[in-house]
Structure formats: structure tokens, C-alpha cells
Amino acid sequence: MTHRPDAGPTPPPGCPAHQAHQAHQAHQAQQARPPHQAPPAYQGPGTPLYGPDFAADPQAVYRRLRQNGPAAPVELAPRVQATLVTDYRAALEVLRSPDRFVKDARHWRALADGRVAPDNPVVPMMAYRPNCLFSDGDDHLRYRQAVDDSLARIDPNALRGYAERSADSLIDRFTALGEADLLGSYAKVLPLLVFQQLFGCPPELGDRLVEGFSGIFDGVDAERADALITSSLLELIALKREQPGADMTSWLMAHPVQLGDEEMLHQLVVLIGAGTEPQQNLIANALRLLLSDDRFAGDLAGGSMPVEDALDEVLWLDPPMANYGIHYPLEDLDFGGVPLRAGEPVVVSFAAANTDPALRSDRRTGNRAHLAWSAGPHHCPAKDAARLIAAAAVEKLLDRLPDVELAVPADRLVWRPGPFHRALTALPVRFPPVPVPAPAPAPVHPGQPDRPGPPGDRPGHPSADHLPPETSGESRWNARPAPSRSIPPAVTSTARQPASAPTGRPPLWSSLVAWWHGQ
């Protein structure tokens, strides 16, 4: 693997020299493109990766595409052409070769010359942003350092505890009903509660961010969704500049790389986006597998909880982001007999690569060689946290509702159309109604007056209306000292009940669940 020689130290952010340096880098990237005079004639679409037919059986499409070699032409949306990599080894070659394949979408010729309209529904998922996902070289290293260091400060025990308490609060809302949509009422909501706490996000901003990110992933009014995300995150950034706390947003701000507001905005876009839609898909797909596959159903009936096995299976066969890892060749290439043109999108199919017949193995339990988290310099930095949240969500639901079963046959579940994700439209289940457990009274210590404890004093059973409050300065997220004096230190002892929505408002996300159901 080769790298470009260092062109010298980068000036500090915010100064005129840094702005000039960025402009010079952008000019060099434009000049480095192989010359082309006019957009080529439209040559017709490749295999479409959108619509209900692809959503219903993507593996059938991947099998057909493999007949073309390690990669094949596809259409991500009307008039958005790309090449989809379906071969496992070829996928690794793309992901691990930053000297030949770059992430910076400013190399995307079709967008630059107008063949792809800016309001195309897939553009927000593909267009350049100054963050760790869409950058290369020194810029990527700088962004990735801030993200990795901030994520490393999260105490996994505190994260799991909060995920479990959030799960309990959601299950309490439907446990007495005997039926539920585990997607709209559980898998979609739980990651939102977690990121609301993790990023120090007030509930009203959280509502708007959820709507925005759902629109981006679904390709529904993408321009409006993008604007909603931007305005909401700018409000969050302004809030944390004034009131920093023990949360990811504040830690990113205080990191020695000194991210500006625009850079902060785009790091949050990729972190929160990856923590919502893909996370909910992982939870829902794992629950679907556990409730529909006889291999796991037998274990559940026998009292064991093969959740980790189910997660391995889902990450191999139905990864929450099925096709992504978008790269752009720096020059025209012959890629295993498939011609790749400079500046045209190359999309890695994690789902197809994971099921490549050349792997010759059905032993997926405990095997973490899948590409669900990508690979190479842009692999997912939060994969451990994502898996932890998913495991906590699935285990808690099966523990609270051991007799839960699908309300419809598994083959009648409907998958949401879209080129990138593997996502259900709903996951209806039924179960014997279970009364909501009453909170246990708080213990009275000698010398203290009798007083009721907060709703969350009994571990795992917060109020059904809201999660237990936490006083300012008592967050237990971080497990390491802060790298900056501008952030209040967070206590790292035993976990406490994290912050949540204030009382006196409708149940969290209720309007959003109705909106989702209407899609």
C-alpha cells in the first residue's frame, strides 16, 4: 500500500493559512482528475438496487450480478450509475487500497458535471462532507483521531446499563397489550434514547434529528431531511459550546485537533446517522432471525439465549447496511476484468461479499471476518458499542417476554426498498400479556428519613412515561480522563440512571412512530 508524500505541516484550523491550504487541496483534487471534455452519452441503467423487487430478494440479484465477475454495473436511483463489488476479496482490495480508491466524493464526476442532480434522493448519502467517512489522507487521520479518542472514553458497562434501562422503559409500554410492532415501538426508539443521552441531545432536538435521518435513509424528501439535520445539529453544537458536559458532542469539541463548527456538524452527522438507522436494523433483523429460524427457536425454548450467535448470523447474511463503502477510482482501472472509470462510484456490497460462494464456509457462529463493519482505514469506529447495544436490546426483550412470537409468517414480513440498507417495514409480534412490574420501594438507611426513590431506583425498571432523571454532572459515560480542561470531569464509578426526557410531555417519539407507520 502506498501513500502520497507529505506536503508539509497543515496550518492550524481557523486561521487564514488553513483556509488557503484547504482551497489549495481542493484545487489539487480537481486538477488530479483525468481530463474529460463533455459528459458521455447516457448509456442506460445497470441493475436497479431500489424498488420492492430488490428489497424482497436481494440475494437473487447478487447471484445474477456475480455472473459478470467481481463487480457489475448497477443503478442506485434513477440515473445514478455505479459499480457494485460482490466478491469478498475484491471488496477487501477496494476497502484497503486508499492509494487507488478514495472516499472523497468531490471526485464523483457525474455529480460534478450535472448528470446526477443535487436533489437526487441518494445524494445526501453519497455527497462529500468534511468528516471521517468522506475524507482521505491527513484530513481523515485528523477526524478519525477525534472520533476514536472520544468513543474510547465511553464506559461500556455504563452504556450497556443505559441500553438495558431504556429497553425496560420501552417494553413497559406494551408488555400488558399482548402485541407490538417491535420495529416501530422498540428497535427504532431504543437507539434514539441511547444517542440522545450519549450526545447530550435535548429531546426536542432528538425528535427532529430522527425525522431527518429517517428521510435520508429512506430517500424521502432528501433535501428537506438534510436541511432538518443541519439546523438541528447546529443548535446542539451551539448549546454545547455554552454548556459543555460529559458527552460525545462536548468531547469532540474539546479534542486537541480543534474541530470547527462545520467540522463538528459533519462528524455528528456520520456518528448519529450510523447510530440510528443501522443500529435499529441490526436489532430488528436479529429479533426476526431469533423468532423465525428453527435453529434459534429450539435454543430459546430450551431456555438458552443464543443472542451472540444470532448477531453473527445477521452480520454475515443481513448486515444492516447491505451496500455502502462508496469509493472513487483515481484513474481508469481493469478490476478483475471489469473496467472501472475514474471518478465513478464503486459501491461495496457487504451483503454480497459476505455470501460470496468462494468463502466455502457455513460456519458463521463466532466468525467475525464478515464485512458488515467495513474494513481498512474507514472501518466502523463504533462497532463494539453497536454490537453491545444490540445484544442488550435483544436479550432484555427475550428476558421480559420469553413467549414472544411473530404475529405473521416470516415470509410475509416486508422489507423497505432502498439501495443501501436491509430494513424491515414492521416486525409484528404477539405474546401473553404481562403486567408492568411495580417499582420496588427504595431502601431506607439508618439515620435517613423515609422518602421515595426516583422511578429508576430499581435497576432495569424506570418509569414507562420517561426514563429516570440524572442530576447535572453525574453522567457515567466516560471511563478515561478528559483531554481538555474545558469539559467537566465525569465520574467513573458504578453506573447511575442516565438523563432522559423531561416529564410532562407526550411519550417519546410517539408522533414519529405514527409517521414511520405511514411510510
Side-chain angles (χ1 to χ4, degrees):
M1 185 180 301
T2 60
H3 298 274
R4 291 175 294 179
D6 191 356
T10 301
C15 71
H18 183 263
Q19 296 172 357
H21 176 75
Q22 287 185 314
H24 177 66
Q25 283 187 321
H27 176 73
Q28 283 185 322
Q30 179 72 25
Q31 293 297 108
R33 297 179 181 176
H36 71 298
Q37 298 301 319
Y42 183 63
Q43 299 178 352
T47 301
L49 299 188
Y50 53 92
D53 291 341
F54 173 71
D57 192 1
Q59 287 296 335
V61 176
Y62 302 147
R63 286 192 294 271
R64 291 196 301 269
L65 292 176
R66 288 193 187 100
Q67 298 174 8
N68 298 303
V74 295
E75 190 176 50
L76 302 176
R79 299 186 67 87
V80 180
Q81 306 301 307
T83 300
L84 189 73
V85 179
T86 58
D87 178 273
Y88 184 89
R89 292 185 180 275
L92 286 177
E93 183 177 351
V94 172
L95 297 170
R96 293 175 174 174
S97 302
D99 53 327
R100 294 188 295 146
F101 298 93
V102 296
K103 294 283 290 180
D104 188 337
R106 290 174 294 186
H107 290 268
W108 186 8
R109 283 181 170 174
L111 183 64
D113 61 28
R115 283 178 286 152
V116 172
D119 62 351
N120 191 287
V122 298
V123 166
M125 286 287 289
M126 298 175 65
Y128 171 77
R129 299 177 188 268
N131 62 28
C132 59
L133 181 60
F134 291 106
S135 298
D136 303 290
D138 291 342
D139 286 339
H140 173 255
L141 290 175
R142 177 169 169 266
Y143 296 144
R144 187 63 184 246
Q145 182 182 4
V147 168
D148 286 348
D149 290 350
S150 298
L151 287 169
R153 298 181 63 190
I154 299 172
D155 179 355
N157 293 322
L159 179 61
R160 183 179 184 92
Y162 188 73
E164 290 177 343
R165 287 188 291 273
S166 299
D168 267 317
S169 74
L170 296 173
I171 296 168
D172 284 348
R173 298 176 188 180
F174 56 74
T175 182
L177 302 178
E179 61 182 10
D181 171 14
L182 291 185
L183 182 67
S185 299
Y186 190 66
K188 278 187 173 179
V189 189
L190 190 145
L192 309 177
L193 296 176
V194 173
F195 91 64
Q196 181 176 299
Q197 171 73 5
L198 185 56
F199 288 87
C201 184
E204 60 275 11
L205 287 180
D207 286 339
R208 286 154 49 189
L209 286 171
V210 172
E211 182 180 353
F213 279 109
S214 292
I216 289 289
F217 279 94
D218 286 346
V220 176
D221 200 354
E223 278 194 305
R224 176 186 173 276
D226 200 34
L228 187 61
I229 291 171
T230 299
S231 63
S232 301
L233 288 179
L234 287 175
E235 283 189 45
L236 176 61
I237 291 166
L239 173 65
K240 291 301 173 180
R241 292 281 186 206
E242 294 182 2
Q243 303 174 25
D247 53 64
M248 278 288 297
T249 309
S250 301
W251 296 336
L252 284 167
M253 284 180 180
H255 195 277
V257 302
Q258 300 180 18
L259 299 174
D261 280 1
E262 183 183 8
E263 293 175 315
M264 278 292 307
L265 167 68
H266 292 294
Q267 306 324 303
L268 293 177
V269 164
V270 71
L271 288 170
I272 296 178
T276 52
E277 170 84 12
Q279 183 75 69
Q280 75 188 29
N281 294 342
L282 179 56
I283 294 170
N285 293 353
L287 286 169
R288 179 196 66 86
L289 181 68
L290 283 162
L291 298 177
S292 63
D293 192 309
D294 290 341
R295 293 172 299 164
F296 299 99
D299 287 338
L300 290 173
S304 62
M305 300 271 285
V307 171
E308 292 296 334
D309 294 352
L311 289 175
D312 286 335
E313 187 86 356
V314 166
L315 291 168
W316 274 102
L317 300 183
D318 281 318
M321 290 299 289
N323 306 301
Y324 206 45
I326 303 166
H327 289 70
Y328 302 88
L330 286 173
E331 58 186 16
D332 293 349
L333 297 172
D334 182 293
F335 191 67
V338 178
L340 300 180
R341 297 178 56 197
E344 297 300 334
V346 174
V347 179
V348 175
S349 178
F350 304 127
N354 285 348
T355 55
D356 183 349
L359 295 180
R360 299 173 185 240
S361 176
D362 291 329
R363 298 179 61 184
R364 290 178 287 271
T365 301
N367 185 344
R368 307 289 167 84
H370 57 75
L371 299 183
W373 309 118
S374 190
H378 289 88
H379 72 273
C380 176
K383 64 181 188 301
D384 293 337
R387 188 175 179 117
L388 184 153
I389 293 168
V394 174
E395 289 171 359
K396 179 60 69 173
L397 183 102
L398 297 178
D399 179 55
R400 291 282 304 274
L401 302 173
D403 296 320
V404 64
E405 61 181 13
L406 290 178
V408 299
D411 59 7
R412 289 180 54 193
L413 295 172
V414 179
W415 298 92
R416 264 168 47 212
F420 303 123
H421 55 221
R422 182 63 171 158
L424 290 165
T425 60
L427 186 59
V429 297
R430 58 185 174 227
F431 46 85
V434 179
V436 179
V444 178
H445 299 286
Q448 292 183 345
D450 293 350
R451 59 178 180 87
D457 272 0
R458 187 156 82 94
H461 291 282
S463 165
D465 293 325
H466 62 283
L467 293 175
E470 179 180 37
T471 56
S472 176
E474 292 187 0
S475 175
R476 301 300 201 269
W477 284 118
N478 64 317
R480 292 173 177 80
S484 168
R485 290 172 294 178
S486 65
I487 297 230
V491 185
T492 58
S493 59
T494 56
R496 292 171 57 93
Q497 272 61 349
S500 71
T503 58
R505 67 188 301 265
L508 283 174
W509 322 112
S510 58
S511 61
L512 226 7
V513 169
W515 181 84
W516 270 316
H517 286 176
Q519 289 302 304

